């Protein structure tokens, strides 16, 4: 039997599920999680792995073909490598990837590889050790950098480095980040900082045209043609470079009209838009023993509530109450 597909009222086909498996993180990035915040969710509030796997299987039966595991920091959750293995083995799931801060990458790359994962995004906002400690609250730059280099050696591909651009904090390093793409096959992705949640970053955001202008000092930045596998990044390459540059522009040119994402939070809520607090609870009905067909209805309800676009750049905007670390980015 063919199950109903996840197509919203604006005809967007939602085939990409981002799954946050924990709200806990070993870093306290200044723009993501308030320094004094302690994790709120208790063990019983977090979806168990078998519950996540059931939800993903349901999603796959309705057209989800791509899953990204995120957090909090996914690699801090016990049992994550076995979970990744089970996830990768789900029939019909074509692409499983991981977003991590990289602190635990180095010693666990073999397990991630054995679990069938080849695509990793590492978040890294500075190449300087003291500044890393400043931004994240923890002195772990060396571990992250060694993890990235080892992942490159092992052949993880694409290996994306996510850089949230923060005015006067890392704008002086954008050229250095971009330069990495000349000699390494990395995809360096500059992300416009989204002003959401409580954060200690309140400066005027650095938008993509300014980022482009800064990194163009390195040479001619050639746009790459869009492919069906592309995510939200506008892609570029410096002539002769091993890697590429991506600009992710949630503010200066939002990509809502081609957004194909749904999010599952660690506490079991389906969230059709990162920037809206419109959610559907899946955990309670799942734990009450609802049948697959009833859970599919909840998926469909979430999809119908996906807004046409976010309103983050409007003066009278309504910001989501949730912190990014609770949603998974
Ligand atoms: N711990 C993992 C990590 O560090 O990649 C996964 C969770 S983190 C919330 C996912 C991504 O969201 C990271 O790349 C992070 O830099 C990004 N992020 C967090 N807050 C953001 C904000 N306000 N604007 C733009 N990106 C943000």
């Amino acid at each position: 039997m063919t199950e109903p597909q996840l197509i919203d009222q604006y005809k967007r086909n939602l085939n990409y599920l981002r799954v946050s498996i924990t709200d806990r993180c070993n870093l306290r990035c200044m723009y993501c999680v308030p320094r004094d915040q302690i994790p709120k969710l208790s063990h019983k509030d977090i979806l168990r792995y078998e519950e996540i796997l059931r939800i993903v299987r349901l999603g796959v039966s309705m057209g989800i073909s791509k899953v990204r595991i995120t957090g909090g920091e996914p690699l801090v959750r016990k049992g994550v490598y076995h979970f990744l293995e089970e996830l990768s083995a789900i029939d019909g799931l074509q692409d499983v990837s991981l977003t991590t801060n990289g602190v635990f990458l180095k010693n666990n790359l073999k397990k991630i590889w054995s679990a069938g994962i080849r695509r990793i995004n590492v978040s890294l906002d500075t190449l300087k050790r003291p500044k890393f400690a400043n931004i994240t609250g923890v002195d772990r730059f060396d571990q992250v950098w060694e993890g990235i280099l080892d992942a490159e050696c092992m052949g993880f591909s694409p290996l994306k480095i996510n850089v949230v651009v923060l005015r006067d904090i890392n704008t002086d390093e954008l050229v250095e980040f971009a330069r990495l793409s000349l000699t390494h096959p990395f995809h360096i992705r500059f992300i416009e900082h989204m002003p959401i949640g409580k954060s200690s970053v309140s400066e005027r955001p650095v938008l993509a045209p300014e980022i482009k202008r800064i990194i163009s000092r390195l040479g001619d930045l050639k746009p790459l043609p869009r492919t069906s596998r592309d995510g939200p990044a506008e892609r570029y390459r410096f002539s002769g470079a091993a890697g590429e540059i991506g600009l992710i522009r949630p503010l200066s040119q939002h990509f809502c009209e081609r957004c194909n994402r749904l999010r599952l939070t660690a506490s079991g809520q389906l969230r059709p838009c990162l920037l809206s607090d419109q959610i559907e609870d899946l955990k309670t009905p799942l734990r009450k023993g609802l049948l697959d067909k009833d859970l599919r209805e909840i998926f469909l309800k979430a999809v119908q509530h996906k807004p046409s676009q976010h309103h983050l750049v409007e003066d009278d905007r309504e910001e989501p109450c949730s912190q990014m670390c609770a949603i998974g980015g």
Side-chain angles (χ1 to χ4, degrees):
M1 193 176 75
T2 316
E3 303 302 344
Q5 299 293 290
L6 302 172
I7 297 174
D8 75 3
Q9 50 177 325
Y10 306 99
K11 307 264 178 295
R12 292 171 297 194
N13 185 3
L14 310 186
N15 55 12
Y16 179 15
L17 182 64
R18 293 173 72 100
V19 179
S20 170
I21 61 169
T22 177
D23 66 329
R24 291 168 197 245
C25 190
N26 47 341
L27 301 185
R28 286 279 169 277
C29 296
M30 53 166 63
Y31 55 85
C32 185
V33 46
R35 288 277 149 99
D36 53 358
Q37 181 173 303
I38 34 170
K40 279 188 287 211
L41 297 173
S42 68
H43 190 63
K44 68 171 181 13
D45 292 329
I46 300 273
L47 285 182
R48 294 190 295 271
Y49 285 134
E50 64 268 25
E51 292 173 326
I52 301 176
L53 291 167
R54 178 166 173 211
I55 293 172
V56 173
R57 282 192 196 98
L58 279 170
V60 169
S61 74
M62 302 177 83
I64 295 288
S65 58
K66 186 173 163 182
V67 167
R68 173 170 294 279
I69 298 303
T70 173
E73 170 49 39
L75 301 189
V76 300
R77 183 160 172 185
K78 220 170 140 194
V80 60
Y81 303 104
H82 182 61
F83 163 72
L84 290 175
E85 216 174 295
E86 293 196 73
L87 185 71
S88 297
I90 290 180
D91 224 16
L93 193 56
Q94 290 160 17
D95 186 344
V96 179
S97 55
L98 176 72
T99 294
T100 171
N101 59 35
V103 171
F104 293 128
L105 207 49
K106 186 176 162 65
N107 295 329
N108 295 297
L109 282 165
K110 283 197 183 121
K111 284 184 252 175
I112 296 171
W113 185 278
S114 304
I117 311 272
R118 299 292 178 269
R119 300 159 66 81
I120 305 183
N121 288 13
V122 184
S123 307
L124 180 65
D125 304 318
T126 176
L127 296 167
K128 296 179 179 160
R129 193 176 151 192
K131 203 194 282 185
F132 183 96
N134 217 358
I135 294 176
T136 67
V138 192
D139 180 7
R140 293 284 183 277
F141 172 77
D142 292 346
Q143 285 91 325
V144 177
W145 186 242
E146 286 166 18
I148 290 174
L149 293 180
D150 285 1
E152 179 191 354
C153 277
M154 280 180 71
F156 282 91
S157 173
L159 188 51
K160 297 182 182 173
I161 299 185
N162 285 350
V163 186
V164 176
V165 180
L166 305 164
R167 187 173 298 284
D168 299 333
I169 295 177
N170 62 4
T171 32
D172 58 330
E173 294 187 64
L174 302 187
V175 171
E176 280 320 300
F177 269 110
R179 200 190 303 280
L180 289 173
S181 78
L182 299 180
T183 46
H184 297 268
F186 303 153
H187 293 196
I188 307 290
R189 308 193 330 154
F190 296 108
I191 304 174
E192 292 173 345
H193 170 247
M194 290 178 272
I196 64 167
K198 275 197 279 167
S199 147
S200 40
V201 176
S202 56
E203 292 297 336
R204 208 165 31 93
V206 188
L207 301 181
E210 187 177 350
I211 299 171
K212 216 170 141 188
R213 205 165 47 245
I214 296 173
I215 63 174
S216 291
R217 281 184 220 143
L218 258 188
D220 194 14
L221 205 49
K222 296 231 164 46
L224 293 172
R226 171 158 278 288
T227 71
S228 58
R229 281 180 66 88
D230 283 357
E234 242 174 54
R235 298 167 51 230
Y236 297 87
R237 192 190 293 277
F238 289 106
S239 153
E244 56 180 76
I245 301 291
L247 297 179
I248 302 191
R249 315 178 57 171
L251 302 184
S252 63
Q253 196 171 87
H254 67 71
F255 32 86
C256 303
E257 72 288 350
R258 52 190 164 83
C259 179
N260 61 349
R261 300 167 174 200
L262 270 179
R263 290 177 165 82
L264 177 65
T265 66
S267 58
Q269 296 163 334
L270 263 186
R271 193 176 180 110
C273 172
L274 170 67
L275 298 169
S276 150
D277 280 326
Q278 177 83 53
I279 47 167
E280 292 298 331
D281 177 27
L282 261 177
K283 183 180 68 203
T284 313
L286 186 109
R287 290 188 179 171
K288 277 190 183 152
L290 258 70
L291 299 173
D292 283 359
K293 72 171 177 35
D294 300 318
L295 297 174
R296 282 197 192 96
E297 286 301 320
I298 299 174
F299 260 95
L300 292 174
K301 206 160 149 206
V303 166
Q304 285 321 309
H305 289 153
K306 188 171 170 79
S308 62
Q309 63 175 75
H310 73 68
H311 301 283
L312 206 52
V313 283
E314 291 163 19
D315 287 342
D316 59 348
R317 68 184 187 225
E318 265 182 48
E319 284 178 19
C321 304
S322 311
Q323 290 292 137
M324 195 69 116
C325 56
I327 315 171

